[in-house]
Amino acid sequence: DAEITQSPRHKITETGRQVTLACHQTWNHNNMFWYRQDLGHGLRLIHYSYGVQDTNKGEVSDGYSVSRSNTEDLPLTLESAASSQTSVYFCASSGGSTSGSIASTDTQYFGPGTRLTVL
Amino acid sequence: GNSVTQMEGPVTLSEEAFLTINCTYTATGYPSLFWYVQYPGEGLQLLLKATKADDKGSNKGFEATYRKETTSFHLEKGSVQVSDSAVYFCAASGGSNYKLTFGKGTLLTVNP
């Protein structure tokens, strides 16, 4: 079965360190998204990509970057981790497959999340 | 841009009670509307969706009807179970840009 996975599931790091969170999907979806979830704020979009070599900033992109070198992966990098980036991070994917089969283009499928703590 | 407003929780019910979680949206065009559910320690799962006015989405006993005239997509279930305890998110699509706008979530706790 197709799925979307995230690693690690839990991460503790120190302020100032670079951290990369992995996201891998086997849906063959074109679109991928990164969100953070914080109490009182719901889900906020960090970055998103509509295909290989395409990346776009979301509403809370400062301090984060992404790159899309293939269809399956969209790693999220925190360039210099800050305590304000302690959060739960979710990756999601959606959209028609690159093989051309028809799928619902706006329904997003979520990974299990990564809990990041910055000390 | 789009915005989604859902009733704030937490909502606490007894088993077999009737559930309504209100959701309203503002959007240009005709968005698709979604309800997602998040169980403790997990990611969001699609619960149901509707893509046009008067459509009813349904799944696992939950229902929601796309009401264009009131810009609403309220979630209902006739008889909740303890296993329905979770956070529920309403969301609206952005049309051609594939982005979803989420409400802030409603925590539901069902007591036996």
Side-chain angles (χ1 to χ4, degrees), chain A:
Chain A
D1 286 348
E3 62 177 356
I4 179 166
T5 56
Q6 295 183 235
S7 62
R9 294 294 312 277
H10 302 273
K11 175 77 176 177
I12 300 174
T13 191
E14 295 177 343
T15 301
R17 291 192 179 268
Q18 184 181 78
V19 177
T20 297
L21 308 183
C23 175
H24 179 81
Q25 53 100 359
T26 59
W27 290 95
N28 217 17
H29 283 158
N30 291 325
N31 310 324
M32 296 184 73
F33 307 83
W34 273 104
Y35 298 89
R36 59 178 291 174
Q37 183 178 28
D38 305 285
L39 203 61
H41 292 278
L43 286 165
R44 293 183 289 176
L45 183 63
I46 305 171
H47 282 287
Y48 57 102
S49 167
Y50 291 147
V52 176
Q53 302 301 331
D54 176 74
T55 61
N56 305 279
K57 294 181 179 180
E59 61 180 305
V60 289
S61 60
D62 286 350
Y64 302 94
S65 64
V66 293
S67 62
R68 186 91 179 268
S69 58
N70 59 51
T71 300
E72 295 81 18
D73 300 289
L74 188 70
L76 177 71
T77 297
L78 287 68
E79 305 293 345
S80 177
S83 58
S84 60
Q85 294 176 309
T86 293
S87 186
V88 181
Y89 292 85
F90 288 100
C91 181
S93 70
S94 74
S97 72
T98 54
S99 68
S101 63
I102 300 301
S104 172
T105 56
D106 53 7
T107 300
Q108 292 186 15
Y109 298 89
F110 283 77
T114 294
R115 182 174 295 277
L116 177 68
T117 302
V118 183
L119 301 175

Side-chain angles (χ1 to χ4, degrees), chain B residues 10-26:
Chain B
V11 174
T12 303
L13 296 173
S14 297
E15 205 164 24
E16 299 184 1
F18 184 85
L19 169 71
T20 299
I21 301 178
N22 291 338
C23 173
T24 58
Y25 67 92
T26 59

Side-chain angles (χ1 to χ4, degrees), chain B residues 4-68:
Chain B
V4 174
T5 303
Q6 63 181 100
M7 64 185 286
E8 295 189 16
V11 174
T12 303
L13 296 173
S14 297
E15 205 164 24
E16 299 184 1
F18 184 85
L19 169 71
T20 299
I21 301 178
N22 291 338
C23 173
T24 58
Y25 67 92
T26 59
T28 54
Y30 302 98
S32 294
L33 301 174
F34 304 81
W35 277 101
Y36 281 84
V37 59
Q38 183 181 31
Y39 299 104
E42 298 184 10
L44 278 70
Q45 302 175 22
L46 178 68
L47 181 59
L48 52 85
K49 69 178 283 189
T51 58
K52 61 183 187 296
D54 300 323
D55 265 3
K56 178 185 284 187
S58 61
N59 186 26
K60 299 181 181 180
F62 291 89
E63 294 182 339
T65 301
Y66 191 143
R67 301 286 188 200
K68 183 167 171 283

